Amino acid sequence: MSQDIATIRVTRYRPEKDAKPFFQEYKVPYRHDMVVLDALNYIKAEIDGSLTYRWSCRMGVCGSCGANIDGEPKLTCASFLHEFKGRTITVEPMTHFPVIKDLVVDMQDFMEKLVKIKPWIIREKETPPEQGEYKQSAKELERYSQFSSCINCMLCYAACPIYGLNEKFLGPAATALAYRYIEDSRDQGKEVRFPIVHEMEGAWECTLVGECSVVCPKGVDPMLAIQKTKILGATNAIKSLLMPRGGR
Ligand code: SF4
Ligand code: FES
């Protein structure tokens, strides 16, 4: 199989040594089926073992290989080198996150947001396992199914200008995950999650830019989840005003 040469410009940054990030350029031979992650692996194995980046599954499942490729948040394992043929490919860490080293960003804020929305089924009273599972119809599953495909890659946060301005903003994936549980017929945790997604920096901070949904590699539509969360919250508030006792 014939090989071409890709020119890759990668951000290098070792906080303990470098005053600021800089670019380093590498030449990488590649075949038609190779992706940007393969090029990074080639650089690490053959040219410069100090290059640092995250990856695991190499198949768009683990969500760990996100980077800005030519300015766009993408999975490096899902970006083919031949799509950039004839031009230098710039690979940078995802925007809006502190950089730990080279392409590795600090995920702490995102992880805290995921935990904050309580991403598990909440029941008013747990049924003992021996009484069987909580049943759900295909139609009920359909209500939240797409929002459960998230792989926590954080590309939507890298694309979101509101998160870039205000890191307290709950943001796309965490709100989509909250909505996934709010819409799950087995869950009874709306009262717990609504105050979280409707607080000052929750869903209402979103200004409908929509880039989160454009960059998502799994077809999740976080912007839709945020808008649906707003509607549910507003409807819930009106119901509680009209029917203060149990009006939901
Ligand atoms: S919603 Fe999409 S872009 Fe955002 S973290 Fe989940 S999979 Fe990644
Ligand atoms: S390496 Fe797992 S999603 Fe890219």
Side-chain angles (χ1 to χ4, degrees):
M1 202 182 281
S2 71
Q3 285 197 327
D4 284 308
I5 302 289
T7 306
I8 317 264
R9 207 167 64 119
V10 189
T11 302
R12 303 305 311 269
Y13 183 47
R14 288 150 292 182
E16 71 283 3
K17 284 169 79 176
D18 307 320
K20 55 181 183 175
F22 60 95
F23 284 118
Q24 201 155 355
E25 207 169 279
Y26 304 94
K27 300 278 183 200
V28 176
Y30 71 96
R31 300 180 314 267
H32 191 77
D33 61 351
M34 281 173 64
V35 291
V36 171
L37 177 60
D38 293 323
L40 297 177
N41 285 343
Y42 177 89
I43 295 166
K44 191 164 182 78
E46 306 291 336
I47 308 173
D48 186 345
S50 69
L51 181 64
T52 306
Y53 50 97
R54 284 194 184 106
W55 70 286
S56 181
C57 70
R58 206 192 166 274
M59 54 196 293
V61 172
C62 72
S64 65
C65 70
N68 272 26
I69 303 177
D70 280 2
E72 296 273 322
K74 288 178 193 273
L75 297 179
T76 59
C77 74
S79 305
F80 284 94
L81 290 164
H82 65 79
E83 288 170 8
F84 305 88
K85 190 169 180 161
R87 62 180 207 263
T88 300
I89 306 167
T90 301
V91 186
E92 300 167 274
M94 285 186 287
T95 34
H96 307 150
F97 296 99
V99 175
I100 296 173
K101 188 177 178 189
D102 295 343
L103 300 175
V104 174
V105 296
D106 188 345
M107 301 169 64
Q108 186 68 20
D109 180 58
F110 178 63
M111 298 314 281
E112 283 169 11
K113 284 180 169 138
L114 289 187
V115 173
K116 191 175 171 186
I117 59 98
K118 303 183 189 302
W120 54 82
I121 302 262
I122 298 172
R123 300 286 295 181
E124 281 159 14
K125 194 164 176 293
E126 288 288 340
T127 311
E130 55 274 18
Q131 287 185 22
E133 66 275 18
Y134 302 123
K135 295 244 164 57
Q136 184 165 68
S137 70
K139 208 163 176 189
E140 285 167 334
L141 171 65
E142 215 176 288
R143 290 183 71 86
Y144 69 85
S145 174
Q146 70 136 309
F147 302 107
S148 62
S149 302
C150 175
I151 56 170
N152 300 331
C153 65
M154 311 194 301
L155 298 188
C156 51
Y157 283 77
C160 174
I162 305 303
Y163 181 64
L165 292 171
N166 179 6
E167 67 167 29
K168 289 195 176 145
F169 174 41
L170 185 58
T175 313
L177 193 58
Y179 181 74
R180 172 248 175 277
Y181 283 97
I182 287 169
E183 277 295 9
D184 191 322
S185 58
R186 301 164 298 177
D187 184 80
Q188 298 169 334
K190 286 188 183 59
E191 307 302 322
V192 182
R193 289 198 194 86
F194 270 151
I196 301 164
V197 292
H198 291 289
E199 69 187 6
M200 190 77 106
E201 267 95 12
W204 297 94
E205 195 80 351
C206 171
T207 57
L208 300 178
V209 174
E211 275 302 303
C212 54
S213 302
V214 173
V215 301
C216 178
K218 303 310 283 183
V220 179
D221 188 348
M223 190 179 74
L224 178 67
I226 292 173
Q227 299 328 307
K228 287 190 171 239
T229 304
K230 287 180 185 173
I231 293 167
L232 280 180
T235 314
N236 206 46
I238 292 166
K239 276 187 186 166
S240 359
L241 279 176
L242 296 175
M243 295 174 280
R245 282 166 203 235
R248 62 179 205 270

